[in-house]
Amino acid sequence: MKRIFISIFALLAVINVAAQNDDISRQIEVTRDYTPKAALADKLDILPQMADTVQLHPQVDYSITPTAWMSVYAPDPISAVGMSAVRLHDRNTMYAEFGAGLPLRSVADIYFSPKTMGKTTLGVYLNHDGIEGKIKNDYGDKRSALMLDSRIGAYIQSRFERGGGLKFDVEYGMRDYDPYGGFSQMADGSDIVYGGQISYDDIRSSFTIGSDFTDLSRFNVRFGVSGGYFKGATAGEALKQGQWDVNTALDVGIPIAGMPLLLGVEYNGFNGLDQLKGQNRNTIQVSGLLGLANSRRVKLGIGAKYITTESEYIVPVLKFDWLLAGGVNPYINIDGGVADNSYRGLTLLNPYVQDGVWLKDYNAHVDMRAGINFTTSVADFDIHAGYDMHDEYNLFVNMDKTSRFVVYGGKVKIFYAAVSSDFVLGDGLSLKLSGRYNSVEVQSESDNNLRKLYEGTGIPQFTADGWLEYAKGKISLKAGVQMLGERTFASAMESDYMGSIVSLDGLTFNQNVIDGSVNVGFEGRYEVNENLGIFVRGDNLLGQKIYLYNYYPYLGTNILIGVRVNL
């Protein structure tokens, strides 16, 4: 049945109290500083940002999971250290970082891009981040907590004379996890059988050709296709789950009377394999944005996205940016879309989900933000407020006394206010501060049991961080603190659980409230010369219980030491 999620006119009527979430792949943005992760980008840019430089595939995708408030406390994968996708494809050289730490941890990032003829570049890369220690969970059971994420890929890129180009990328990724969040024995001493190590295999590839959309005064066009094969399994289980997916997109930029008109059409197809055979999903999105103003001081674009799945959605798009005298810059941004709730998509949000979980409902969302940024003689400031509306926000529900999650959807609205600032203190010294407050409204529910489910969003009341940085000559130092507010998660009684597809009927839900935490960390780097450097990083120096997911505490105090080589 046709369903219109929200109209353009209704949202524009409340524009003065609305704001937007910049990255629609996240369920919620929490702080300015995220934990990036190098991975093959598997979603093409459909609607280029007006007058922005659009980076096309293939590229290393510095993205985060929708649980940013959880993963921000994990040590940063060194894949993100100073290596942007642009630099990766332009270096024509080799860049590598290796690190090892205690508890047992290893990281490695290698990018090799040899010089080639003309404007054509090819390269290979390898990323690895692994933890192989033991962690005591909330039941007092110290279990193996393997967390392994490795990938290897290759790309070729050729640039055109007038901008844009042709790019091809292929990658194989492997992820392995020990589900350590449950406990190993029942009250009578008998063992609980949770299943063994979780393994995911992911083959991805993408191809794009066309303009780069940096000069919107002329005609631009680009076409892209990406897709892959994904498989998941649990050791000791005979069942296998897999899927393939494909994404195709066409973007066009047309100058009309000095105003750029950006049009895009995208198709996403998902199809289940093995035990997921019969699960499928098809999404078509048509986008349009008209740049009513595109000067150095004022940028204004208005448009919409029409998305058809099992239902239909109309999502408004508004881009407004006004540079005033003195560097004061008010802005408004409205955007949205639908999230990937396929098996692969859910494992990227939470790797401990039950095998084969696949949600039929989409998390359609509209994200709005209004704010102002400005610069003084000593600091840059950004102050903004936002309002996000989710039709089916993903609720990861832990099955009590076990270590795996099922997923439900619930209507969630999030109002947030945030501020960030960068201070230049002089002589290589700087200070970064940011904070965010979240007010969450869940769908109304008279049933007390279901209310416990819908309130278990895991969204923190607040986040805050502060980092003092010093960089001069060959030395750079960074020390800081990250604070995370209280979070509420939902769990269900294990005795009521049967199978991986769980009905709400007959389940008794509980709530688990996780107290706020403070993470203190540091990083030091010494550049021996332009080709060699060393670094040391410490995290969770206070040894607090910091949770990645409900019932999943992360490492205590940990130290990482590594070396950088640039040839």
Side-chain angles (χ1 to χ4, degrees):
M1 179 177 180
K2 181 176 179 181
R3 178 162 64 94
I4 301 300
F5 180 55
I6 195 158
S7 71
I8 302 174
F9 305 105
L11 276 178
L12 292 181
V14 295
I15 197 172
N16 60 321
V17 294
Q20 179 262 347
N21 181 341
D22 290 326
D23 186 344
I24 64 175
S25 71
R26 299 196 302 271
Q27 290 183 338
I28 176 176
E29 177 192 6
V30 178
T31 62
R32 177 202 57 216
D33 294 329
Y34 309 114
T35 301
K37 203 167 194 178
L40 176 67
D42 49 44
K43 179 172 171 53
L44 300 171
D45 291 319
I46 301 307
L47 194 61
Q49 296 289 332
M50 184 174 53
D52 286 345
T53 299
V54 179
Q55 297 301 329
L56 302 178
H57 286 264
Q59 67 181 46
V60 176
D61 176 26
Y62 293 95
S63 59
I64 68 165
T65 72
T67 50
W69 55 89
M70 303 173 199
S71 61
V72 73
Y73 293 96
D76 295 346
I78 61 173
S79 53
V81 177
M83 179 55 66
S84 70
V86 178
R87 291 178 63 198
L88 166 62
H89 292 286
D90 291 344
R91 294 183 70 87
N92 296 325
T93 184
M94 188 186 84
Y95 178 92
E97 284 202 7
F98 306 92
L102 292 174
L104 188 58
R105 183 159 186 258
S106 57
V107 290
D109 285 293
I110 303 172
Y111 304 96
F112 179 61
S113 180
K115 293 182 181 297
T116 55
M117 294 184 60
K119 295 182 178 296
T120 300
T121 304
L122 59 88
V124 295
Y125 58 89
L126 179 147
N127 309 128
H128 163 81
D129 190 353
I131 295 172
E132 301 182 46
K134 290 187 175 183
I135 296 177
K136 181 182 289 188
N137 61 26
D138 288 356
Y139 299 104
D141 188 7
K142 194 169 187 179
R143 303 188 61 210
S144 173
L146 175 70
M147 287 175 264
L148 176 67
D149 189 344
S150 300
R151 63 198 68 243
I152 186 170
Y155 64 88
I156 184 170
Q157 164 183 290
S158 184
R159 294 184 175 181
F160 298 154
E161 289 292 339
R162 295 191 61 188
L166 177 151
K167 302 179 183 181
F168 174 76
D169 199 345
V170 62
E171 178 188 272
Y172 168 71
M174 175 184 68
R175 295 183 292 144
D176 294 292
Y177 302 89
D178 283 333
Y180 62 92
F183 70 95
S184 58
Q185 288 189 331
M186 297 290 282
D188 61 4
S190 61
D191 289 340
I192 289 179
V193 178
Y194 330 54
Q197 188 178 104
I198 308 165
S199 297
Y200 301 116
D201 295 281
D202 207 355
I203 301 173
R204 318 297 301 169
S205 185
S206 67
F207 169 80
T208 58
I209 184 171
S211 310
D212 57 12
F213 286 79
T214 56
D215 181 5
L216 297 180
S217 65
R218 61 182 179 85
F219 179 78
N220 287 265
V221 62
R222 68 177 176 185
F223 170 77
V225 58
S226 66
Y229 167 77
F230 175 78
K231 180 182 70 175
T234 298
E237 300 287 341
L239 301 180
K240 300 286 188 294
Q241 298 82 25
Q243 71 177 72
W244 63 261
D245 59 85
V246 63
N247 167 281
T248 59
L250 176 67
D251 298 334
V252 178
I254 308 171
I256 300 177
M259 297 183 297
L261 174 63
L262 305 177
L263 302 173
V265 60
E266 174 187 11
Y267 167 77
N268 283 285
F270 303 87
N271 192 63
L273 303 172
D274 302 318
Q275 298 301 316
L276 290 175
K277 191 173 183 179
Q279 298 279 14
N280 58 74
R281 176 173 298 159
N282 297 282
T283 302
I284 297 175
Q285 174 177 295
V286 179
S287 307
L289 181 71
L290 178 62
L292 299 178
N294 192 33
S295 68
R296 187 178 69 86
R297 288 191 172 275
V298 180
K299 294 179 174 60
L300 173 62
I302 295 179
K305 296 176 181 177
Y306 170 75
I307 305 170
T308 175
T309 60
E310 282 83 358
S311 301
E312 295 181 348
Y313 307 93
I314 295 178
V315 178
V317 179
L318 175 67
K319 312 288 184 181
F320 173 71
D321 205 290
W322 188 11
L323 182 60
L324 301 175
V328 178
N329 180 201
Y331 59 89
I332 300 172
N333 213 331
I334 300 176
D335 209 332
V338 295
D340 173 14
N341 281 341
S342 69
Y343 177 42
R344 177 180 181 268
L346 294 173
T347 68
L348 292 174
L349 307 185
N350 183 336
Y352 304 103
V353 294
Q354 284 288 341
D355 293 336
V357 170
W358 184 303
L359 294 188
K360 293 183 179 180
D361 294 323
Y362 290 81
N363 178 19
H365 52 99
V366 173
D367 315 310
M368 302 174 286
R369 173 183 294 180
I372 185 169
N373 53 59
F374 56 93
T375 300
T376 69
S377 59
V378 295
D380 296 329
F381 295 91
D382 181 82
I383 302 171
H384 60 265
Y387 189 67
D388 296 346
M389 293 177 287
H390 296 260
D391 197 31
E392 291 287 339
Y393 188 89
N394 291 330
L395 304 170
F396 291 90
V397 178
N398 174 272
M399 289 295 139
D400 196 26
K401 302 176 183 177
T402 72
S403 50
R404 305 295 288 272
F405 295 79
V406 294
V407 190
Y408 299 104
K411 296 184 185 301
V412 172
K413 299 176 181 178
I414 308 162
F415 169 79
Y416 62 89
V419 59
S420 64
S421 57
D422 293 351
F423 293 87
V424 178
L425 305 180
D427 198 26
L429 195 62
S430 63
L431 176 66
K432 299 180 184 294
L433 301 173
S434 67
R436 170 167 165 156
Y437 166 77
N438 297 307
S439 177
V440 180
E441 177 186 346
V442 301
Q443 69 184 61
S444 177
E445 180 56 61
S446 58
D447 185 292
N448 184 58
N449 183 51
L450 292 181
R451 189 182 306 116
K452 293 179 180 179
L453 165 66
Y454 295 128
E455 290 176 351
T457 62
I459 299 172
Q461 293 178 336
F462 71 89
T463 59
D465 67 84
W467 293 95
L468 186 64
E469 300 181 14
Y470 173 79
K472 191 171 183 179
K474 297 183 176 183
I475 298 175
S476 62
L477 302 171
K478 176 180 177 180
V481 59
Q482 296 171 306
M483 293 179 287
L484 184 68
E486 182 181 275
R487 289 171 291 162
T488 299
F489 293 94
S491 61
M493 293 303 295
E494 184 265 341
S495 59
D496 294 328
Y497 168 61
M498 293 293 292
S500 62
I501 306 300
V502 181
S503 168
L504 290 175
D505 298 334
L507 282 179
T508 301
F509 293 101
N510 300 316
Q511 286 188 348
N512 184 31
V513 178
I514 295 179
D515 294 334
S517 57
V518 176
N519 181 34
V520 177
F522 76 91
E523 179 181 280
R525 287 182 167 266
Y526 177 72
E527 304 299 330
V528 179
N529 53 49
E530 63 178 10
N531 295 323
L532 180 66
I534 56 177
F535 67 88
V536 58
R537 184 180 302 132
D539 190 65
N540 196 9
L541 300 183
L542 300 181
Q544 292 206 344
K545 267 197 173 182
I546 299 172
Y547 287 81
L548 294 177
Y549 310 96
N550 192 18
Y551 293 110
Y552 276 83
Y554 194 63
L555 290 173
T557 301
N558 59 95
I559 305 294
L560 184 71
I561 299 174
V563 61
R564 172 194 62 81
V565 179
N566 183 23
L567 301 178

